[in-house]
Amino acid sequence: MSRDRLFSSARLSVAATAALGLLLTGCGSSGSGSGTTTAGSTSASSGSSSASTSGSSTASSSTAAESSTLTVFAAASLKATFTELGETFEDQHPGTTVTFNFAGSSDLVTQITAGAPADVFASADVNNMTKATDADVVAGEPVDFASNTLTIVTQPGNPKGITGFADLTKSDLQVVVCAPQVPCGSATEKVEQNTGVTLAPVSEESSVTDVLNKVETGQADAGLVYVTDASGAGDKVSAVAFPESTAVVNVYPIAALTDASQPELAREFIELITGPDGQQVLEGAGFQPAP
Amino acid sequence: MTTQQERRSGRRASAARTDAGLPGWVYLPALIGGIFIVLPLVAMVARVNWGQFWILVTSESSVAALWLSLKTATASTLLCVMLGTPMALVLARSRFPGLRLARSLVLLPLVLPPVVGGIALIYTFGRQGLLGGTLEVLGIRIAFTTAAVVIAQTFVALPFLVLSLEGSLRTAGRRYEAVAATLGANPTTVLRRVTLPLVLPGLTSGAVLAFARALGEFGATLTFAGSLQGVTRTLPLEIYLQRETDADAAVALSLVLVVVAVLIVLVTRRRGSEGVV
């Protein structure tokens, strides 16, 4: 009798442990995908901010002319510049709140085609914008607004004395690049084809941030990232420019979306990005003008 | 043999008693919960491109990822058993100041997001990490190797084994151990002949949990080990990467991962119920 109870309670505790474990694994793995996390948390915050906006609009509807939220889905590499330009836009349009969802461009396309509410999409490459236009979620023609090229990053002070792209094949170097499936990796592949230099990376990361992080933490000696990532990292890495990079230019297109709830604001936001104010901020971060 | 039968019939009897006492309304939320778990799996299966399925899952990169995942998860489960069993024994059977703190620390990887675990591992085993310099002198490089994957998986999976086994040890009690000791068995014999056979179900389920957790490990691996085909790119990392360009391949591989996980659970469950439980 007591043994029955003993064994059933043992099973119960194991089952409880299993349930707890699976629960926590679920939480953990949702936090591990950097792209998804950004998307999830940002969309959650956009939800709450739109709620608060609508709340305040009913409260102050007699004083404020209008209150609206513009939702911009933008590539992760645009986070610093677009956040700044979003504040500029809010200053120019009182009562308007700009909320951002920064993630990998392919994640954003997936979310938009799955029906995520967004007004504007800014992609880090033409390929992902084409996916969006093919899915008929883009209103009008996308506009190219910036471009980016690759650079070598090394640990601060370039201790391994890397001077050019061909140096990356040195056998004592641990080089990290993006996987060919993501935009920075396909650019890397093109540079390899152009130069005839084949790299033997120790890792092919799924995002440019992961490449930068491996160099910043000293795991890797060198990596290939965008010029803007290198300048964003400040003195945590040293950038080594190489002439062959200029032949492989990654173009950033922006477009309003067919399901936009704020089509007029979307158009004005795109004008800000492509206008002198936007271009100045982008240039300051290391972006080059669209070709 | 007789004890086995006794236990099994005892289990049936207790299950019958629970059924009789369960209020009917419990079944509704239980059903909703069940649907909540099963529905996403059904939705994923519905999205599988069956015409391409075999080609997608037998591609060179997919096979390399699956093989690497099985190898590394097996290695980290063995490490978990070797390290986790003594840890659970110490936590369940010994008394020393700071025991509660020690238990909390052991369980820390459970509550840490895996990416945080990965960052912590970089600063421990990485080239500029706490142990990195020493390892470098010894000629051991962990960064970007399969060993890094096993370390990451062991780190996140270990608490599952410890927690599961410690629970079994506590519920099993010490009476049989005490009897064996009074009959003259030394501590090692008691551990080998009494304690471990008694908690074998807990150890098995803990090992299964640890294996499943290791198989699904993503964040710590991505952060700490990197991603290279056949070396560090396990199945979850391959799925994450394929998703960028080929959604069909990602779905097909996800299904493979689900099938592998379900098979493991089924096989170990059956073995467990025929064996000791």
Side-chain angles (χ1 to χ4, degrees):
Chain A
M1 193 59 172
S2 70
R3 193 200 262 166
D4 288 352
R5 279 224 325 254
L6 187 147
F7 273 92
S8 72
S9 71
R11 267 204 309 280
L12 196 71
S13 83
V14 169
T17 312
L20 174 75
L22 292 174
L23 194 74
L24 289 164
T25 323
C27 297
S29 56
S30 81
S32 57
S34 57
T36 346
T37 314
T38 321
S41 62
T42 322
S43 58
S45 71
S46 89
S48 68
S49 73
S50 70
S52 68
T53 315
S54 62
S56 68
S57 80
T58 43
S60 60
S61 56
S62 53
T63 50
E66 56 171 323
S67 172
S68 46
T69 300
L70 179 74
T71 307
V72 178
F73 279 28
S77 49
L78 295 166
K79 189 169 184 182
T81 49
F82 269 42
T83 305
E84 187 183 338
L85 287 164
E87 281 162 18
T88 311
F89 191 79
E90 284 172 0
D91 291 344
Q92 292 171 354
H93 300 76
T96 299
T97 310
V98 183
T99 59
F100 288 105
N101 177 8
F102 294 110
S105 299
S106 63
D107 280 333
L108 294 173
V109 174
T110 311
Q111 289 168 16
I112 291 166
T113 51
D119 299 301
V120 176
F121 172 43
S123 168
D125 68 340
V126 174
N127 187 24
N128 278 301
M129 184 56 89
T130 309
K131 275 198 251 170
T133 47
D134 287 350
D136 285 328
V137 293
V138 168
E141 277 292 301
V143 187
D144 297 339
F145 66 94
S147 67
N148 218 341
T149 51
L150 292 177
T151 182
I152 299 168
V153 283
T154 67
Q155 280 164 53
N158 192 4
K160 299 276 180 177
I162 295 161
T163 55
F165 191 74
D167 283 356
L168 296 180
T169 57
K170 283 182 187 169
S171 59
D172 62 328
L173 282 185
Q174 309 238 353
V175 179
V176 177
V177 300
C178 289
Q181 286 90 337
V182 294
C184 58
S186 86
T188 304
E189 215 171 33
K190 280 181 204 142
V191 173
E192 288 185 76
Q193 284 161 7
N194 290 349
T195 55
V197 175
T198 307
L199 303 178
V202 290
S203 182
E204 295 174 346
E205 304 287 337
S206 49
S207 84
V208 68
T209 331
D210 286 325
V211 175
L212 189 65
N213 186 264
K214 295 288 190 297
V215 178
E216 279 181 0
T217 56
Q219 294 286 93
D221 296 309
L224 282 168
V225 301
Y226 291 123
V227 171
T228 51
D229 298 306
S231 64
D235 54 9
K236 282 183 271 182
V237 294
S238 289
V240 180
F242 58 101
E244 300 90 336
S245 67
T246 52
V248 181
V249 178
N250 201 42
V251 176
Y252 286 61
I254 190 168
L257 299 171
T258 35
D259 284 345
S261 58
Q262 304 285 348
E264 187 59 25
L265 284 176
R267 191 183 57 76
E268 286 173 28
F269 185 79
I270 293 171
E271 274 173 13
L272 170 71
I273 299 297
T274 52
D277 285 353
Q279 293 297 304
Q280 194 189 338
V281 170
L282 287 161
E283 197 189 321
F287 285 101
Q288 282 139 17
Chain B
M1 218 37 193
T2 42
T3 51
Q4 253 184 48
Q5 273 164 0
E6 265 173 36
R7 278 178 206 163
R8 225 182 280 174
S9 63
R11 181 183 173 191
R12 291 226 178 89
S14 76
R17 275 201 303 276
T18 321
D19 279 350
L22 202 59
W25 57 265
V26 171
Y27 286 97
L28 183 65
L31 182 70
I32 293 171
I35 291 172
F36 180 66
I37 290 172
V38 174
L39 200 60
L41 291 178
V42 173
M44 201 180 72
V45 172
R47 274 299 179 98
V48 172
N49 181 344
W50 292 107
Q52 294 284 309
F53 181 79
W54 192 246
I55 298 165
L56 290 173
V57 299
T58 53
S59 74
E60 192 197 337
S61 61
S62 304
V63 172
L66 177 61
W67 183 229
L68 181 70
S69 271
L70 291 174
K71 275 196 300 189
T72 51
T74 306
S76 43
T77 305
L78 287 176
L79 269 176
C80 283
V81 170
M82 289 192 306
L83 300 173
T85 308
M87 285 165 78
L89 285 166
V90 169
L91 288 178
R93 290 287 189 264
S94 67
R95 303 218 184 292
F96 57 90
L99 182 66
R100 296 180 78 165
L101 180 68
R103 181 180 297 115
S104 311
L105 288 176
V106 166
L107 300 184
L108 203 58
L110 264 184
V111 290
L112 278 183
V115 62
V116 176
I119 291 171
L121 288 173
I122 283 184
Y123 292 119
T124 313
F125 296 101
R127 284 205 300 180
Q128 295 174 0
L130 210 57
L131 305 176
T134 320
L135 293 169
E136 196 114 308
V137 170
L138 296 171
I140 302 169
R141 181 173 69 84
I142 288 175
F144 307 116
T145 64
T146 308
V149 179
V150 175
I151 289 175
Q153 289 177 347
T154 307
F155 182 78
V156 296
L158 194 52
F160 286 81
L161 188 122
V162 175
L163 202 65
S164 175
L165 186 56
E166 196 203 344
S168 293
L169 281 164
R170 286 184 180 280
T171 42
R174 318 178 83 149
R175 283 174 303 158
Y176 296 110
E177 294 168 12
V179 170
T182 55
L183 294 175
N186 67 34
T188 302
T189 311
V190 173
L191 179 67
R192 206 163 48 83
R193 303 289 296 274
V194 178
T195 312
L196 287 181
L198 208 56
V199 295
L200 201 59
L203 182 62
T204 310
S205 68
V208 171
L209 276 175
F211 185 87
R213 181 66 190 86
L215 198 65
E217 207 323 285
F218 173 78
T221 309
L222 191 73
T223 319
F224 173 56
S227 174
L228 191 69
Q229 185 179 320
V231 182
T232 49
R233 189 175 294 152
T234 54
L235 204 46
L237 271 69
E238 174 72 14
I239 292 168
Y240 186 65
L241 188 61
Q242 285 296 341
R243 203 186 44 118
E244 294 281 341
T245 48
D246 191 348
D248 282 348
V251 172
L253 286 174
S254 303
L255 187 65
V256 171
L257 194 58
V258 169
V259 169
V260 170
V262 169
L263 279 179
I264 289 160
V265 171
L266 284 181
V267 166
T268 45
R269 266 285 163 79
R270 183 168 300 163
R271 195 168 289 167
S273 62
E274 279 170 359
V276 189
V277 178

